[in-house]
Structure formats: structure tokens, C-alpha cells
Amino acid sequence: IFALLLRVTTVAFRGAAPAESSPGARPIAREATLAVAAVFVLLVSGGVVAGAGATAACGGFPLCNARLWPNHLLGQIQMVHRLLAIAAGAGAMGVASKAWRTTGASSAVRITATLGGVLIVMQAVIGALNVTRGFPPLLSGLHVATTAAVWGSLVLTASLAHLGPSPAHAGLAAADERGGAGEQAVEGHH
């Protein structure tokens, strides 16, 4: 429901423009969509950790009770969650990096992708502190909330990249390509 709300709002306020009009939009959109899926799987795995009672199964971070791989099921569930967090983190950071390296990526895509990258690092730090501090309610709540914020920022990144530039920004870019003054294009959009 949250993703649908973000998508509908993005389309309503941006207007649907074809992604082909933005060079490099498709690779960012594809990578952001994969990162959205990875973070969603991470959210679900966090629910499995909590539901299975595996939250405190591993003392210590990054190892589980001083072991790379625990020999008990609850510890293994916890470690799978941590491995998924690494994969989701790599995906979110990859999207942020690609947004800045791609010529033609909009500033909105760059901002939301960067936000996702920064938030995934914060989420990992909060998760590690949560384990090492004994799972205080504040950190546990922040851990879940930050993951949801990462997911939301990546949903926005994917939506914006799929939509391409807003019609107003497309007009400004076209005026710049023709050698026209950007001010003239802005005045024409009032």
C-alpha cells in the first residue's frame, strides 16, 4: 500500500512522460526496481526474525556468538537476515552510485537514490547497535522505521526513473539543447 501511494503521488504530481526521453533512465529504473525488491525481502526477513523469536539469537555483531555461521536454527535465521541486509545495502548503494554516474539522470532521481544509500548505511549501523545494546525499544523501532524509509526512497527513485523527466523539465532541457535561454522556457510554463 505504501509503494502504491508513493507511485500514484509521483505520477499525479509529475505527469507520465516516457522514460525514453531521459538518457540512462532505463538502467537506473531497472537497478532501482531490483533494489526495491531486495529491501522488501529484507523487510520480510526482519519480520521472520521477529516472528520466529530469532531477534536475540546472535550475541555480537557481525558474527553470531563469535561464529561465522551458527549451528542452531534461530541463529541461522538471524544470519540470513544479515546477509540479506548486505545484499540490499549493496543494491541501494549501487543505485545511488549509478544515479550520479549516469548522464541525464534527473536531480530528483539523484536525490532519492542518495537518500536511499545514506539511509541503508544508517539502518545497518542502527541494526548493529541494536544487537550490541541488547535490543532497546528505541533502536528496534528505528531499525524498522529506517528500513521502511530506505524502501520508500527506492520506490520513489524507481518511479521517477521510469517516468523520465517532468514535462516542465523536458521543456527546459529542449530549450537548452536548441541554445535557447532557460528563462524563456520557464516563462512559457507559467
Side-chain angles (χ1 to χ4, degrees):
I1 294 173
F2 181 48
L4 181 61
L5 176 64
L6 291 172
R7 176 68 177 175
V8 168
T9 303
T10 304
V11 170
F13 287 98
R14 292 272 308 220
E20 291 87 348
S21 62
S22 177
R26 286 192 184 265
I28 294 172
R30 186 174 32 253
E31 200 165 315
T33 301
L34 290 172
V36 165
V39 173
F40 182 76
V41 169
L42 179 61
L43 278 164
V44 171
S45 76
V48 170
V49 166
T55 302
C58 291
F61 186 87
L63 301 176
C64 181
N65 303 325
R67 296 183 64 140
L68 188 58
W69 190 253
N71 57 4
H72 59 286
L73 180 61
L74 294 180
Q76 292 168 356
I77 292 171
Q78 177 62 242
M79 290 304 286
V80 166
H81 177 68
R82 292 179 188 187
L83 292 173
L84 290 170
I86 291 169
M93 297 299 290
V95 171
S97 174
K98 183 169 233 141
W100 285 99
R101 290 182 291 117
T102 301
T103 303
S106 72
S107 59
V109 167
R110 287 184 173 142
I111 289 168
T112 56
T114 301
L115 182 61
V118 169
L119 286 171
I120 198 84
V121 171
M122 288 176 53
Q123 189 268 346
V125 169
I126 292 167
L129 287 172
N130 205 16
V131 170
T132 60
R133 304 282 167 101
F135 306 97
L138 175 63
L139 286 177
S140 295
L142 283 174
H143 184 64
V144 173
T146 308
T147 305
V150 170
W151 189 67
S153 69
L154 292 173
V155 167
L156 286 173
T157 302
S159 293
L160 292 167
H162 278 290
L163 290 174
S166 69
H169 289 113
L172 288 173
D176 286 344
E177 287 175 12
R178 289 191 308 266
E183 296 82 29
Q184 293 170 346
V186 170
E187 290 173 11
H189 285 269
H190 289 295

